Amino acid sequence: FNNNVDAVMNFGWTGFISKALLLGMNELHRLLHLSYGWAIIVITVVIKLIFWPLTQSSTRSMKRMQELAPQMKALQAKYKDDPQKLSQKQWEFWKKNKVNPMGGCLPMLLQMPVLFGFFYMIRSAIELRGASFLWVGDLAQPDTLFTIPVLNLPFNLLPLLMAGTQIWQMHLTPTSPGADPMQQKLMKYMPVIMVAIFYNLPSGLTLYYTVQSLLSVVQTKLTKTQPATAPAPAPVLTSPPKKRK
């Protein structure tokens, strides 16, 4: 009736995504008689399939970067005293070999609106209040199994499973040789950071992210089984001429 009653849901800046996810979840529940937990898993699989080509291209690009690491190190050694020239030569080298050093971040950035859309939808959807799934008693609340004695802290299993899948995924994903050491260290501790963020969030959101990480592991394994492209021949790097005194 054009009265904007859905504004009370407070879907945030990803409102159109949240509405689409809520509609899809309710239709799966109504038509296929799936529990809301399984509906979230089905939606996660569909989203993963949509982003599959982009993620696969990103994984191949990172794998290619790893193969080209020796040539990159040679360039860095040659132009170590000229950062501007080094940056120019690196971009020329990447362009020549058709790789993108930022390719690994692109799928994550594009999936962030979906993650926020899931968060706002799960936070606001009355359908998830009291909806159970496996050991989860309420998909709108953390999946607390018990309280840890002495520490008096809730034990939530799903965030720990999510961290385990992320560690597995990081172990399989090749590290970009051009990554900053501080960035690599940050990525190393990312599962711990994600556990801290997700620990008290709705378990429906953690379920989505856990399944998404598990599907990423499957995709990485499938990509690794495909034949790798032959690495480009190392460029002939000559030492710069010595200045005459």
Side-chain angles (χ1 to χ4, degrees):
F1 300 102
N2 296 321
N3 52 16
N4 296 323
V5 173
D6 58 343
V8 75
M9 301 291 283
N10 190 21
F11 280 143
W13 63 277
T14 57
F16 68 100
I17 297 177
S18 298
K19 293 175 185 178
L21 292 171
L22 180 61
L23 177 63
M25 184 181 69
N26 285 331
E27 287 301 306
L28 287 170
H29 177 71
R30 183 178 66 87
L31 296 176
L32 302 181
H33 305 288
L34 297 176
S35 68
Y36 283 108
W38 281 112
I40 289 174
I41 291 176
V42 171
I43 291 175
T44 306
V45 173
V46 171
I47 292 173
K48 188 62 180 178
L49 290 176
I50 292 174
F51 285 102
W52 188 282
L54 182 62
T55 308
Q56 190 172 24
S57 175
S58 169
T59 304
R60 286 175 176 172
S61 179
M62 293 176 68
K63 190 176 180 181
R64 181 69 171 147
M65 287 284 292
Q66 194 177 40
E67 293 172 349
L68 297 172
Q71 292 93 308
M72 283 296 303
K73 289 181 180 178
L75 280 175
Q76 292 168 357
K78 181 179 179 181
Y79 299 103
K80 62 180 180 180
D81 296 327
D82 191 347
Q84 186 175 358
K85 190 71 172 180
L86 173 61
S87 178
Q88 177 187 345
K89 289 296 182 180
Q90 282 180 331
W91 281 109
E92 290 176 359
F93 182 72
W94 289 328
K95 184 177 180 180
K96 179 181 178 182
N97 290 277
K98 299 179 180 180
V99 293
N100 185 359
M102 299 301 295
C105 302
L106 186 58
M108 183 180 296
L109 291 176
L110 292 178
Q111 291 180 66
M112 287 303 292
V114 178
L115 177 62
F116 280 104
F118 246 112
F119 171 73
Y120 288 117
M121 185 271 284
I122 290 174
R123 183 191 66 174
S124 305
I126 192 64
E127 294 89 342
L128 296 180
R129 299 296 191 272
S132 60
F133 177 69
L134 299 179
W135 67 86
V136 181
D138 188 344
L139 287 169
Q141 299 293 329
D143 63 318
T144 303
L145 295 179
F146 56 86
T147 301
I148 303 174
V150 182
L151 297 177
N152 197 28
L153 293 175
F155 179 83
N156 303 336
L157 181 58
L158 264 177
L160 301 179
L161 293 177
M162 179 191 70
T165 57
Q166 287 185 330
I167 293 172
W168 190 7
Q169 181 183 356
M170 288 171 58
H171 178 71
L172 294 174
T173 305
T175 304
S176 174
D180 182 74
M182 184 60 68
Q183 182 183 357
Q184 292 182 7
K185 186 177 292 185
L186 179 63
M187 291 302 295
K188 182 179 179 181
Y189 292 103
M190 185 58 70
V192 178
I193 298 173
M194 295 298 288
V195 167
I197 294 173
F198 278 78
Y199 203 73
N200 290 313
L201 290 183
S203 54
L205 181 65
T206 312
L207 175 64
Y208 155 72
Y209 211 81
T210 303
V211 175
Q212 196 271 342
S213 298
L214 188 59
L215 292 174
S216 297
V217 169
V218 173
Q219 183 174 17
T220 303
K221 279 186 165 292
L222 289 176
T223 305
K224 279 181 173 290
T225 59
Q226 296 177 358
T229 56
V236 178
L237 300 176
T238 58
S239 301
K242 296 182 180 180
K243 296 181 179 180
R244 294 182 178 178
K245 295 183 180 180

